[in-house]
């Protein structure tokens, strides 16, 4: 194997692995903390139709596969010395925030699959907190991407 | 109802001993083959041996009289048995690569007939993940969403048949997705991953469906018991499938980086 090729850092793959892990981890956090520990939306949500059960099952399967796949792909990049850690971190935060915001806007509001919480008088503060958390995580991801890109320009010049 | 259970109790010794004996023979053969490998100076991974012993132990636990009796009148017990026999034990047995070990240990003529069997049309067809998925998950949907489950409560033959099916279909599925043994019809990695994904979602869906709409119907079990059994099925099935996903990606990693870590020390 060509030595120079072996040590080529793969920024694009590093970032996508980060995104995959971020999406998987945030989906798992949502499911473990909000579905199972707080039970804000539940194991079986009485207000969702049978199709809701199916989508929940699909989400759950996808989240587990994403975390395991991401972990092994990260190990693979690391072993090949192709891991750009700063790009992976940037992707990770983009994945976290992207999932959170997608869930908060598309799933909760557009499709109305489930809400953050039931039985409260005013859901607005919950929605704001949920989506604001997503925006902050996305902003961190964008800032890390900007840093990774300028670091790359530095080494290139 | 109690009379029925008494009958099961008196007929039980034989029905526990026969499966235990089968497992003992299986384990004995595996360990004997490993010892022969060592005597011949060839290496065999300790992880694989441990995996086979674990798989056999899970089967023995699943068939222990206490659990079997509990399972006979309680759906939660049935579900624990189902998880052990159909999902966890197959992982241990198949990841132990028993066919590879047999091919290495047996005389050439016997090894040839095993390979011929693996290449035969039915096995070739079953080695693909889609039929394995249909047999595995399809069997589960049939058992819990048709009167089949209620029938197994009173028919011991059907009861054993269902368990044998769970074990064989479970092994087939693990082998088709991530089995280390020779598989002439192994699908590409994306197909296998997609089938694994569908299997996980279908399993989660069935357990939630059972919880929400209280299936299986027309059983002596009350609603709370069925819902607890469905939760056991959900979390237990998740754990087993997570292990299978890890096995799948571990084999992907190992094939990409053959020198990174070794399941089989040279």
């Amino acid at each position: 194997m060509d030595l120079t090729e072996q040590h080529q850092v793969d920024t694009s793959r590093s970032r996508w692995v980060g995104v995959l892990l971020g999406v998987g981890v945030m989906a798992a956090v949502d499911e473990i903390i909000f579905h199972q520990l707080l039970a804000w939306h539940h194991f079986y949500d009485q207000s969702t139709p049978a199709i809701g059960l199916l989508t929940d099952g699909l989400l759950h399967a996808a989240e587990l596969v994403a975390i395991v796949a991401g972990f092994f792909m990260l190990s693979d990049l690391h072993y090949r010395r192709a891991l750009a850690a700063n790009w992976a971190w940037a992707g990770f935060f983009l994945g976290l925030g992207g999932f959170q915001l997608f869930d908060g806007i598309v799933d909760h509001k557009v499709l109305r699959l489930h809400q953050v919480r039931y039985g409260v008088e005013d859901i607005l503060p919950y929605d704001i907190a949920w989506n604001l958390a997503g925006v902050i995580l996305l902003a961190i991801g964008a800032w890390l991407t900007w840093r990774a890109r300028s670091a790359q320009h530095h080494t290139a010049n | 109802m109690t009379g029925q259970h008494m009958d099961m109790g008196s007929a039980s010794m034989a029905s526990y001993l026969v499966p235990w004996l089968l497992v003992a023979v299986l384990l004995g053969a595996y360990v004997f083959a490993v010892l022969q490998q060592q005597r011949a100076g060839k290496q065999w991974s300790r992880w694989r041996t441990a995996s086979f012993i674990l798989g056999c132990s899970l089967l023995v636990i699943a068939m222990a009289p206490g659990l079997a009796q509990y399972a006979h009148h309680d759906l939660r017990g049935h579900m624990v048995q189902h998880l052990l026999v159909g999902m966890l034990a197959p992982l241990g047995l198949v990841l132990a690569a028993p066919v590879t070990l047999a091919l290495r240990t047996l005389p050439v003529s016997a090894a040839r007939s095993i390979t011929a069997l693996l290449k035969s049309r039915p096995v070739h067809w079953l080695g693909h993940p889609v039929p394995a998925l249909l047999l595995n998950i399809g069997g589960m949907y049939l058992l819990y969403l048709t009167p089949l489950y209620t029938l197994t409560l009173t028919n011991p033959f059907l009861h054993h048949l269902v368990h044998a099916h769970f074990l064989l279909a479970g092994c087939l599925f693990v082998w088709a997705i991530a089995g280390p043994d020779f598989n002439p019809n192994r699908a590409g990695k994306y197909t296998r991953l997609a089938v694994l994904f569908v299997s996980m979602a279908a399993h989660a869906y069935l357990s939630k469906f059972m919880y929400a709409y209280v299936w299986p119907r027309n059983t002596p079990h009350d609603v709370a018991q069925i819902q607890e059994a469905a939760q056991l099925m959900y979390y237990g099935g998740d754990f087993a499938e997570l292990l299978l996903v890890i096995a799948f990606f571990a084999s992907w990693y190992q094939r990409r980086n053959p020198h990174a870590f070794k399941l089989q020390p040279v």
Side-chain angles (χ1 to χ4, degrees):
Chain A
M1 192 195 274
D2 185 10
L3 271 176
T4 50
E5 191 195 54
Q6 196 184 3
H7 294 287
Q8 194 95 55
V9 169
D10 193 338
T11 53
S12 157
R13 196 174 163 92
S14 297
R15 178 154 71 151
W16 281 113
V17 169
V19 170
L20 188 66
L21 274 168
V23 168
V25 167
M26 190 46 95
V29 165
D30 178 25
E31 179 149 77
I32 291 163
I33 295 182
F34 294 99
H35 291 214
Q36 291 172 23
L37 295 180
L38 294 175
W40 279 3
H41 30 272
H42 209 251
F43 171 72
Y44 166 63
D45 216 333
Q46 288 292 341
S47 69
T48 51
I51 199 79
L53 290 182
L54 182 64
T55 54
D56 227 21
L58 290 170
L59 167 79
H60 182 69
E63 141 219 326
L64 284 181
V65 171
I67 291 176
V68 177
F71 172 77
F72 276 99
M73 286 164 79
L74 198 69
S75 307
D76 179 58
L77 283 171
H78 180 70
Y79 180 75
R80 290 163 181 266
R81 300 193 192 175
L83 177 66
N86 50 356
W87 280 100
W89 277 111
F92 182 67
F93 277 92
L94 289 174
L96 289 176
F99 180 85
Q100 180 83 346
L101 202 62
F102 181 86
D103 192 34
I105 292 182
V106 179
D107 294 342
H108 294 176
K109 295 296 139 193
V110 178
L111 299 176
R112 298 195 159 269
L113 289 177
H114 60 266
Q115 298 297 333
V116 180
R117 194 174 186 182
Y118 297 97
V120 287
E121 275 183 27
D122 190 5
I123 196 153
L124 191 67
Y126 290 95
D127 278 333
I128 290 174
W130 190 275
N131 290 316
L132 195 63
V135 170
I136 291 170
L137 289 167
L138 269 182
I140 294 173
W143 177 63
L144 287 174
T145 305
W146 175 77
R147 277 212 338 182
R149 193 163 286 150
S150 53
Q152 202 172 31
H153 283 307
H154 266 289
T155 47
N157 291 338
Chain B
M1 198 169 125
T2 39
Q4 227 171 53
H5 289 147
M6 292 299 280
D7 286 347
M8 283 300 288
S10 57
S12 63
M13 267 340 267
S15 63
Y16 297 134
L17 281 178
V18 171
W20 272 8
L21 217 61
L22 282 173
V23 174
V25 168
L26 219 62
L27 183 60
Y30 192 96
V31 171
F32 179 74
V34 171
L35 290 177
Q36 269 216 324
Q37 289 288 306
Q38 282 178 347
R39 219 171 295 138
K42 293 180 210 157
Q43 291 280 352
W44 184 256
S45 159
R46 289 199 183 116
W47 290 107
R48 288 197 165 148
T49 311
S51 171
F52 202 80
I53 294 172
L54 188 68
C56 288
S57 314
L58 293 176
L59 279 182
V60 168
I61 293 169
M63 290 178 303
L67 183 57
Q69 240 147 24
Y70 175 48
H72 195 68
H73 57 82
D74 194 311
L75 192 65
R76 291 167 293 189
H78 163 89
M79 209 51 88
V80 171
Q81 246 189 341
H82 158 85
L83 287 165
L84 290 173
V85 171
M87 300 188 86
L88 291 169
L91 270 168
L93 297 176
V94 175
L95 295 182
V99 178
T100 307
L101 181 62
L103 291 177
R104 280 204 204 174
T105 315
L106 290 171
V108 178
S109 59
R112 277 214 187 102
S113 39
I114 291 183
T115 334
L117 177 75
L118 285 176
K119 283 182 182 162
S120 70
R121 193 172 280 260
V123 179
H124 185 275
W125 187 76
L126 285 172
H128 192 272
V130 172
L133 172 82
L134 291 177
L135 282 170
N136 202 26
I137 295 284
M140 247 179 269
Y141 274 75
L142 266 182
L143 180 64
Y144 299 123
L145 301 185
T146 68
L148 181 61
Y149 174 78
T150 319
L151 288 176
T152 63
L153 288 181
T154 47
N155 186 335
F157 173 71
L158 210 56
H159 174 84
H160 289 299
L161 195 69
V162 162
H163 272 119
H165 171 85
F166 271 149
L167 178 62
L168 292 175
C171 287
L172 181 69
F173 189 66
V174 175
W175 175 58
I177 296 290
D181 279 327
F182 171 65
N183 181 342
N185 195 20
R186 174 155 294 153
K189 61 175 187 274
Y190 293 113
T191 309
R192 283 183 288 148
L193 196 58
V195 168
L196 183 52
F197 172 73
V198 170
S199 160
M200 294 168 80
H203 196 273
Y205 180 64
L206 179 62
S207 51
K208 287 187 181 192
F209 188 87
M210 285 163 62
Y211 180 93
Y213 299 101
V214 195
W215 286 86
R217 292 273 165 91
N218 302 319
T219 62
H221 314 307
D222 61 32
V223 174
Q225 191 184 113
I226 290 175
Q227 289 191 332
E228 276 175 40
Q231 274 180 311
L232 265 175
M233 179 174 166
Y234 180 79
Y235 293 113
D238 235 31
F239 174 66
E241 267 154 346
L242 180 63
L243 292 179
L244 187 54
V245 176
I246 292 173
F248 174 87
F249 281 104
S251 73
W252 169 82
Y253 184 83
Q254 204 186 8
R255 222 167 299 130
R256 255 173 89 86
N257 309 301
H259 303 291
F261 75 103
K262 300 215 173 296
L263 286 175
Q264 213 150 327
V266 178

